[in-house]
Amino acid sequence: MRGTTAEHAPSWTLQYARLRSAAEMAAPATAPRQEGLTPPFPLTKEIPKLNSELIRTYLRNVIVVYAVMDTQGKLQRLSVRQTPDARFNAGILAALTHWSFSRLNSVASRWR
């Protein structure tokens, strides 16, 4: 996901889990059912517009963003949970609002 072949390709790691319903949350703890859970695949992505000096300064650092993916594959409730510098936040959150994923089987997912 680079603008040009000369640019550094950012690394994206996606962790996800099926969002449990209120009834499932209230039920006694049992092994979580993950049968048939297919990883979401990004259909559209937008590269965040970030300051190149800021990127160089924090090149090896991690930024963690939390979101809930709805059944249409759009990210909702985006929030930055970890960042080396708050100046990253606005650009990353703005770009992620334009990401879309393969449609889920009518089950919302937490995304991190």
Side-chain angles (χ1 to χ4, degrees):
M1 198 169 96
R2 298 182 278 185
T4 68
T5 56
E7 290 180 359
H8 172 73
S11 172
W12 302 91
T13 302
L14 174 67
Q15 297 177 351
Y16 69 98
R18 187 176 64 80
L19 196 58
R20 298 187 312 166
S21 69
E24 290 172 314
M25 298 280 281
T30 58
R33 291 191 53 179
Q34 300 293 326
E35 298 169 10
L37 186 60
T38 304
F41 179 80
L43 299 173
T44 58
K45 299 183 211 178
E46 181 177 302
I47 299 172
K49 292 170 181 53
L50 303 171
N51 177 296
S52 59
E53 185 59 36
L54 193 62
I55 293 170
R56 277 191 294 277
T57 302
Y58 298 107
L59 187 59
R60 302 276 181 230
N61 285 252
V62 173
I63 299 171
V64 177
V65 178
Y66 174 89
V68 173
M69 185 185 308
D70 64 21
T71 57
Q72 300 302 311
K74 298 299 277 177
L75 298 177
Q76 308 291 326
R77 297 180 9 206
L78 289 156
S79 65
V80 176
R81 299 288 174 98
Q82 176 184 331
T83 182
D85 193 310
R87 292 177 289 175
F88 282 114
N89 298 6
I92 290 173
L93 294 175
L96 288 173
T97 61
H98 298 285
W99 284 42
S100 64
F101 291 81
S102 55
R103 196 175 160 146
L104 300 175
N105 297 331
S106 301
V107 178
S109 297
R110 284 188 305 245
W111 182 80
R112 185 172 88 149

